[in-house]
Each structure stands twice: as structure tokens, then as C-alpha cells.
Amino acid sequence: MAHAASTPRAPLAVAVLVSGTGTNLQALLDTVHGQEAEIVAVASSSAGAPALTRATERGVPTAVFARADYSDRAARDSALADWLADRGARLVVLAGYMELLGAAFLERFGGAVINVHPSLLPAFPGLGAIEQALQYGVKVFGVTVHFVDAGIDSGPVILQRAVELPSAGSPEEVLAALRPVEHALLPEAVRLFARGALSVDPANPRRVVMSPKSAPGVESGG
Ligand code: GAR
């Protein structure tokens, strides 16, 4: 088609999974939503998650998939995946989602599930990453956005940013420093995905490659 190169892409349909406060969801709602992406669904593992209110306030459909309401995790995953697929989700973003997703769920959204984690992975995966880092005594903290695989915070890294905090003494202090980084990196990763700018190095499937024009901070010019 003669005009294919200049035809704007349709926004990417994105589902966001949450468990708590939802500041990362808010960052997505305030940046990419209605732009490169359309957040079509927000699902929570907990009925009381304040994140649900943030979604509702923007007219985004919400649902709760609590582990306790299903016979096992696979049944929960299956119901969750059905709901997200019904909403047309093409990318699933874990934004403070504190549950593991099984292989069947990940296969269904193959290569299109990403997570934000408050450490420089592979250091300090799992729960309490900031507390783990403080306990270890590190001087450099950070944020990782990565593709999700069947392990715990073990998938290929998309974006990472370090924050030097040589005197950090409390989780609150570290979290306050990491928040703005999370709120920048997660939307940036969604933008890159939406533009089709992310691929995996065939020589090393651990390595995510982004097309040079789309690197963070580099304007593509249109
Ligand atoms: C964020 O700090 C995110 O990195 C972390 O939970 C917080 C959710 O905050 N995720 C993990 O630790 C996942 N292993 P939010 O609800 O305000 O977005």
C-alpha cells in the first residue's frame, strides 16, 4: 500500500494487572493511555486494591481475580486470561502484581507480558526487593522492566536504570527515589512495545534489542 509507511498505528490494547496502590497504573493512565496504547482492562488480585479506583475513575473496566476464589492457580489464570482476551488485550503489564502467573497464561500471551520490579535484576528478585537491597547494604538501587517468563523476575530485561543512594536508610526513602524512575521506565517500555521496537537477539535470547530510533530519550521524529 502506498501510504502504509505513514499510516498511524492503532493504539495497542493493554491490560494491566495490579495488587495494590497502583501508582504505576496511574503513570500509564497519565502517559500512554489514549496515545500509543489503550488500557482496555485492569485486573486485580485483591478486591481492596486502590488501583481499581484509579482505573474506574478513567472509565477502564476492572475485575478481581482473587486466588482464594478458585480451586487452584491454573483455574485463576485461565479465568483471568479469558477476561483479558475478551477485552482484546495484546500486551499484559504487571504493575505491582504480587502473584505468579503459570506457563499456560504466559503461553497464551506469548512474549507479551512485562513487569516492573524495584531492583537491578538479577539482584533481589521476588517480594521485598527494596528491603533485600537495604539488608545487603548496596549503594546503588534501581528499577528493571522485563519480559515475564515462568521464573520469579527472571525474564529478559527491557529497560533498567540505576539510582545511587549511598546513604539510604529506610525502604520509604528508597521507594521515594525509585518511584519516578518506575513511572518513567514502565510507560517507555509500553511505548517501545507498541511501536514494535523490541526484539530478541537471535544469538542470545536473553538480550532484548530495541531499534535505535526508538531508544529512550531519542525522538523518532514521527
Ligand atoms: C512497585 O514498586 C513495583 O515495582 C513493585 O510493586 C510496587 C507497586 O507499586 N513490584 C514488585 O515488587 C514486583 N515484584 P504501585 O502499586 O504503586 O504501582
Side-chain angles (χ1 to χ4, degrees):
M1 299 287 283
H3 301 295
S6 57
T7 303
R9 279 174 193 270
L12 177 75
V14 175
V16 184
L17 306 192
V18 296
S19 297
T21 317
T23 65
N24 282 284
L25 168 65
Q26 191 68 52
L28 293 170
L29 287 167
D30 291 345
T31 54
V32 293
H33 183 53
Q35 304 289 324
E36 299 92 336
E38 190 69 30
I39 299 179
V40 295
V42 170
S44 175
S45 60
S46 153
L52 290 167
T53 308
R54 297 178 189 268
T56 304
E57 279 173 358
R58 294 293 295 273
V60 177
T62 63
V64 175
F65 294 85
R67 171 67 187 80
D69 293 341
Y70 297 87
S71 53
D72 56 20
R73 199 179 76 186
R76 189 276 318 272
D77 280 7
S78 174
L80 172 60
D82 285 347
W83 188 70
L84 301 182
D86 284 350
R87 302 291 318 153
R90 306 251 327 278
L91 171 69
V92 179
V93 177
L94 313 189
Y97 185 64
M98 298 303 183
E99 297 271 327
L100 287 178
L101 294 165
F105 181 100
L106 297 174
E107 271 164 34
R108 200 152 160 194
F109 292 96
V113 184
I114 69 174
N115 178 47
V116 60
H117 184 75
S119 78
L120 292 173
L121 291 169
F124 315 123
L127 295 176
I130 292 173
E131 288 80 0
Q132 291 181 56
L134 277 168
Q135 183 68 30
Y136 195 92
V138 299
K139 306 297 184 202
V140 181
F141 297 76
V143 170
T144 304
V145 180
H146 63 94
F147 284 113
V148 175
D149 65 11
I152 297 175
D153 299 320
S154 57
V157 171
I158 302 170
L159 295 172
Q160 235 169 4
R161 191 170 297 163
V163 180
E164 289 190 33
L165 298 169
S167 316
S170 73
E172 294 73 23
E173 190 182 345
V174 178
L175 185 60
L178 296 188
R179 279 296 196 210
V181 179
E182 292 193 327
H183 298 167
L185 287 197
L186 188 59
E188 187 56 33
V190 171
R191 276 187 207 104
L192 290 167
F193 190 99
R195 286 180 203 151
L198 300 177
S199 58
V200 168
D201 181 351
N204 175 7
R206 289 281 331 167
R207 185 168 169 264
V208 176
V209 183
M210 59 187 88
S211 59
K213 279 172 68 179
S214 301
V218 179
E219 274 307 313
S220 66

